[in-house]
Amino acid sequence: MHPVPAAILESERLSYSVFEPGDAAMLAALHSTPEGERYLFRDGMLWSEAYAASEIAKWRETYARHGYSKFKLVRKADGAFIGRAGFGFHEDGSVAELGYTIIRSEWGQGYATEAAAALARWFLEKRIGNRFIAFAVPENGASVAVLRKIGMRETAPITVKGIICTSFEMDAADLTSLNR
């Protein structure tokens, strides 16, 4: 079991930590707008506080068992909640999958790129796994750009819940692209 430290990681502007059970309202608010949820494969489902609490419980268990999960992103300068980012299991359970969601008011500030790059480096340098994947709906150009910007390699498209997605992967050989 992995003990839960105060902060898992810090990057230039962000601190990454395991969600606490009391964070459910904040997490539900992150996932409460159709605009923010349109690319997240939930058929328009907005998160209730109860659903957010159940996700937090799963993420805490994943962290305890595997040393990675979806993490709470907080801006270091003022402690403001920015979103969530981290790793989960891809549908088939065979590989870790990078994902991120930033609150709408902070879109376009580079937080997704900062978080994705920091987490990719952390995952590979700490040898949490030897590779991970990510994918995005092609219409989500901002997310596709983030994955390209951090140096992930585009792979064959994959179908997720009936939607063809642009797919990427990264492994330890790709660390040089992260360290530029």
Side-chain angles (χ1 to χ4, degrees), residues 20-32:
E20 296 294 331
D23 294 332
M26 177 174 55
L27 182 61
L30 173 67
H31 291 285
S32 68

Side-chain angles (χ1 to χ4, degrees), residues 39-152:
Y39 299 125
L40 295 181
F41 306 100
R42 299 201 189 280
D43 298 322
M45 181 192 97
L46 303 183
W47 290 28
S48 67
E49 198 168 324
Y51 183 78
S54 72
E55 289 297 289
I56 288 171
K58 285 188 240 175
W59 296 341
R60 290 177 65 79
E61 176 66 19
T62 299
Y63 183 79
R65 287 180 180 258
H66 303 286
Y68 66 83
S69 188
K70 302 288 173 73
F71 300 119
K72 176 171 52 175
L73 303 179
V74 174
R75 188 171 35 225
K76 293 190 309 188
D78 61 5
F81 175 67
I82 298 298
R84 69 164 175 89
F87 297 91
F89 290 108
H90 182 58
E91 306 179 320
D92 66 6
S94 67
V95 65
E97 173 191 321
L98 174 66
Y100 40 83
T101 302
I102 306 299
I103 62 173
R104 174 67 184 105
S105 62
E106 300 295 336
W107 287 1
Q109 303 300 311
Y111 289 117
T113 301
E114 180 178 337
L119 285 162
R121 188 176 301 107
W122 171 81
F123 186 90
L124 296 170
E125 287 178 349
K126 298 274 187 193
R127 292 184 168 81
I128 293 164
N130 58 10
R131 80 183 258 282
F132 63 90
I133 65 166
F135 56 85
V137 175
E139 295 79 20
N140 187 352
S143 194
V144 170
V146 164
L147 299 172
R148 287 181 176 143
K149 194 179 297 186
I150 70 166
M152 291 192 77

